[in-house]
Amino acid sequence: MKRTIKKQVWMNKAEAQDLQKKAKKACMTEARLIRMLLEGYNPPVAPDDRFYDAMDEMRKASERLEGFAKAAASDADREKYHNAACELLRIQNELEKKFLLPRESDFKWQ
């Protein structure tokens, strides 16, 4: 005798579409979005291409500064260019954290 497994519906069509839309905005799967919410995090909406283009430009500028550091005539100039490149990468890292990492939610599950 075959057993039939009844499919349980846990959200209506509008809720499923809303979940799909929000997961797409956060650039993640619906399952990952639900897991993050259950873990107490609010995922940010993914930035548009302008953000990633700006991050690429910052990386390229840092690479150019490192190139100047290698070509610099004096140790002081090498250090100055190297420090500027490191500072630019630090700023880029902070921006990526601010705009890409999920934030902890004020709401805690019981």
Side-chain angles (χ1 to χ4, degrees):
M1 180 169 153
K2 283 187 173 181
R3 289 181 53 169
T4 305
I5 299 173
K6 186 176 180 179
K7 183 178 177 183
Q8 293 182 344
V9 178
W10 58 283
M11 66 175 66
N12 63 37
K13 186 175 180 178
E15 291 167 335
Q17 288 173 337
D18 190 36
L19 174 63
Q20 186 178 30
K21 181 177 77 174
K22 288 178 179 173
K24 187 175 181 178
K25 280 186 177 181
C27 290
M28 61 181 64
T29 65
E30 293 144 24
R32 179 68 188 132
L33 175 60
I34 291 169
R35 277 191 223 98
M36 286 185 97
L37 293 170
L38 290 173
E39 292 168 2
Y41 291 94
N42 292 327
V45 172
D48 63 22
D49 288 341
R50 294 175 299 172
F51 175 83
Y52 296 103
D53 291 344
M55 293 299 104
D56 285 343
E57 289 302 315
M58 289 180 78
R59 181 188 48 77
K60 289 175 188 174
S62 178
E63 289 172 355
R64 285 192 301 270
L65 286 168
E66 283 294 352
F68 294 153
K70 290 176 184 172
S74 71
D75 288 342
D77 286 343
R78 274 192 288 280
E79 186 174 348
K80 187 175 14 172
Y81 284 122
H82 175 73
N83 290 342
C86 289
E87 179 63 11
L88 192 56
L89 288 177
R90 185 195 65 74
I91 293 168
Q92 179 181 2
N93 189 36
E94 290 299 316
L95 288 170
E96 288 174 348
K97 284 181 188 176
K98 181 176 181 176
F99 290 103
L100 300 178
L101 291 182
R103 290 158 190 80
E104 198 163 350
S105 175
D106 293 337
F107 176 77
K108 298 295 178 196
W109 293 95
Q110 298 178 3

